[in-house]
Amino acid sequence: MPVLRGDSHLYEVWSTGERARSGQRSRVRFRRTEEMLFGCITLAETDVDSDGIPPASALEAATAQIYGEICATLDAEGYPHLVRVWNYLPDINRDCQGTERYRLFNAARQHGLNAFGRALAGSVPAASALGAVSDSPMVVYFLAARTAPMFIENPRQVSAFHYPPQYGSHRPVFSRAALLSLGDRRTLFISGTASIVGHESLHVGDCAAQTRETLANIEALLEEANRVARDAHFDRSTLAYKVYVRRLADLAVVHHELASALGPDAQIIYLQADICRQDLLVEIEATGICPLTRGVLTPDVRC
Ligand code: 3EB
């Protein structure tokens, strides 16, 4: 997806002091340490084994295959706990025979996880789901662990896995945040967060107000994480952010709101992407490092 602001050749590097090894199983490429596994899988809808499946379901077939291969890899390698998932699918808002593609994705994600005995509510990974450029393959990145993380919900929002049926026949399977404790390290993964209160999109058409509401949601999640973690203290000034903006024309407004809330030195990547509800103009995800400890797994942005 297009990088907005700064250098367009951007790499996100996740580093750790632990020894890491590379591997591959089916389409999943990964690198793992003793405790964690970071993986990536790419699959074009045109490449999916869709014998006898009508074209309307190519996205569902691809999604189910991707989630199946991820779960099979994690089971085989012994990292059963999905902590954080990034889903990128082309034309996320496009209609496909009367249903939005994001909703087809939700149905197939449920089926894929269910087939491998994973929970569909409660202990489910933090996630983001964004549009990718038309005709690009589906790409899913994920982080898994041997140890179960704690999953955190936002008191201001209905859990996505409990959304009412107006958002689709199958609910989105993700938690609002995941908190991973390894030794004396605490890492907080905040899911893609938008201007949703309860289950409704707020400030339709007003990107500045959507940005402020999103920041209020992130603040509520930080408060909840600090309450649950007890021994860690996360703060908005120590998060690394990734911001997805639907319309290029809104970039200046989003940047202005974030600069005034987070200061000029905040670590923020801006990307252009469609967001999974038509009325949402901005979505923000973040990763928190506990400032009291050293050697924390943290993303580092390099140009
Ligand atoms: C929302 O809160 C906005 O389907 O995995 C955010 C993060 C959203 C993850 C997903 C969707 C997902 O419902 C959309």
Side-chain angles (χ1 to χ4, degrees):
M1 46 188 64
V3 177
L4 310 176
R5 299 182 63 85
D7 198 309
S8 60
H9 298 282
L10 194 66
Y11 296 83
E12 187 182 272
V13 179
W14 291 79
S15 52
T16 168
E18 310 290 311
R19 180 192 175 105
R21 295 174 193 276
S22 300
Q24 176 157 7
R25 191 184 182 285
S26 56
R27 291 185 181 82
V28 178
R29 291 176 295 124
F30 60 84
R31 208 159 152 77
R32 61 183 181 84
T33 64
E34 194 49 42
E35 290 293 335
M36 305 195 70
L37 183 150
F38 185 89
C40 175
I41 176 166
T42 301
L43 179 58
E45 287 164 57
T46 47
D47 288 346
V48 80
D49 309 326
S50 59
D51 296 348
I53 297 171
S57 298
L59 174 69
E60 288 175 287
T63 303
Q65 192 160 335
I66 282 173
Y67 271 84
E69 290 191 15
I70 289 172
C71 292
T73 301
L74 296 181
D75 289 348
E77 300 292 330
Y79 300 79
H81 304 284
L82 261 178
V83 176
R84 179 66 169 98
V85 183
W86 292 264
N87 303 281
Y88 299 107
L89 46 144
D91 300 315
I92 193 168
N93 298 132
R94 200 179 73 204
D95 240 47
C96 185
Q97 300 192 356
T99 309
E100 191 188 40
R101 279 164 54 82
Y102 173 59
R103 296 180 179 209
L104 295 175
F105 164 80
N106 275 322
R109 173 168 53 181
Q110 274 205 12
H111 292 138
L113 289 168
N114 194 42
F116 280 80
R118 292 329 203 253
L120 301 182
S123 295
V124 295
S128 301
L130 282 306
V133 175
S134 293
D135 297 324
S136 56
M138 264 186 83
V139 184
V140 176
Y141 301 92
F142 60 94
L143 201 48
R146 286 207 205 278
T147 318
M150 291 175 82
F151 295 105
I152 295 164
E153 290 301 300
N154 184 343
R156 303 180 82 228
Q157 297 184 306
V158 172
S159 295
F161 47 77
H162 289 149
Y163 277 166
Q166 70 203 74
Y167 303 103
S169 58
H170 294 75
R171 290 151 169 163
V173 182
F174 70 94
S175 290
R176 299 299 181 184
L179 175 69
L180 188 65
S181 301
L182 292 175
D184 60 358
R185 299 171 296 171
R186 305 283 178 272
T187 309
L188 179 66
F189 301 92
I190 297 181
S191 292
T193 304
S195 179
I196 295 173
V197 176
H199 57 75
E200 286 171 348
S201 307
L202 294 194
H203 318 295
V204 173
D206 182 345
C207 194
Q210 285 199 12
T211 307
R212 291 191 294 269
E213 200 70 64
T214 301
L215 288 170
N217 277 329
I218 289 174
E219 203 60 40
L221 276 168
L222 285 174
E223 199 177 305
E224 191 65 6
N226 289 332
R227 189 181 67 79
V228 167
R230 290 189 179 163
D231 56 353
H233 186 81
F234 295 98
D235 182 283
R236 73 174 116 160
S237 67
T238 55
L239 297 179
Y241 296 87
K242 199 182 293 171
V243 179
Y244 303 96
V245 181
R246 182 188 288 277
R247 307 183 302 207
L248 193 55
D250 289 327
L251 177 62
V253 156
V254 175
H255 180 252
H256 175 79
E257 291 298 334
L258 290 177
S260 56
L262 306 173
D265 299 326
Q267 191 182 322
I268 311 178
I269 300 169
Y270 291 90
L271 299 167
Q272 194 277 315
D274 289 341
I275 293 150
C276 55
R277 283 189 193 181
Q278 295 272 7
D279 50 17
L280 295 175
L281 300 172
V282 61
E283 182 172 307
I284 304 176
E285 62 181 52
T287 304
I289 53 174
C290 182
L292 300 177
T293 55
R294 289 158 178 262
V296 173
L297 179 69
T298 170
D300 172 21
V301 177
R302 300 189 185 157
C303 296

